[in-house]
Amino acid sequence: MENDSYPSNLVIRSAAVDDVDKLRDIFRRASLTVDGYRDLMAAHPEWLVWDDAMLPYARVAVAAGRIVGFASARPVDDFLELEDLFTDPDWMRQGVASRLIQDIARRGVRIEVTANPHAIGFYESVGFVVSGVAHTEGGTAPRMRRDAN
């Protein structure tokens, strides 16, 4: 779980085309930090490729001029679907993902996510509750939601 002592120099902004290579890098490296998923990721390398179509929905966290995390949330019906939430492994557990969730929540719309089972504690710490189960290519995963503020 991330703490609430955010880096004071953290800035959240919209992602730009020039950010894509860094987003891909963070996506891949962060995905490989979960012990229980390394073998699954090795068996499905196509899952380690960030979807460039999410760029218009992506927000990046920047510290000292360096992208240290990102999130993308696309509109679906009357809510936002959190598609991506990744932190550079060197910046994990420093409040980056929490700040990105806060940024998305400022839109005043319910947020839903199919959560990595290893991340349930994090999502609960930032206001999400389990609302169901999703069946994914990687197995079952909890569906979670955070109602609008």
Side-chain angles (χ1 to χ4, degrees):
M1 213 176 323
E2 295 192 5
N3 64 41
D4 289 331
S5 58
Y6 306 128
S8 59
N9 62 342
L10 195 65
V11 174
I12 308 293
R13 64 166 173 78
S14 294
V17 173
D18 291 346
D19 300 329
V20 170
D21 287 341
K22 185 63 177 172
L23 301 184
R24 287 180 185 146
D25 177 62
I26 291 171
F27 179 93
R28 185 178 184 290
R29 289 186 306 113
S31 295
L32 293 172
T33 63
V34 180
D35 291 334
Y37 284 119
R38 282 194 193 107
D39 290 342
L40 189 57
M41 293 295 178
H44 296 279
E46 70 276 12
W47 294 354
L48 292 173
V49 179
W50 183 64
D51 183 357
D52 291 351
M54 294 309 298
L55 184 63
Y57 310 109
R59 302 282 287 166
V60 297
V62 180
R66 176 182 171 203
I67 296 174
V68 297
F70 73 96
S72 59
R74 65 180 172 80
V76 176
D77 299 326
D78 62 344
F79 65 94
L80 295 172
E81 180 70 25
L82 182 64
E83 295 286 351
D84 302 297
L85 180 62
F86 293 95
T87 301
D88 182 309
D90 295 338
W91 283 79
M92 288 181 170
R93 301 195 183 285
Q94 296 184 45
V96 174
S98 297
R99 281 283 300 278
L100 287 162
I101 293 294
Q102 284 181 348
D103 178 73
I104 293 167
R106 286 190 183 107
R107 299 183 201 173
V109 178
R110 182 176 82 246
I111 306 167
E112 295 190 13
V113 64
T114 299
N116 176 322
H118 291 91
I120 293 173
F122 164 75
Y123 283 115
E124 289 175 339
S125 77
V126 293
F128 283 80
V129 296
V130 175
S131 60
V133 175
H135 301 283
T136 71
E137 290 181 70
T140 59
R143 281 292 292 170
M144 299 184 80
R145 65 185 285 157
R146 177 183 169 164
D147 290 326
N149 296 342

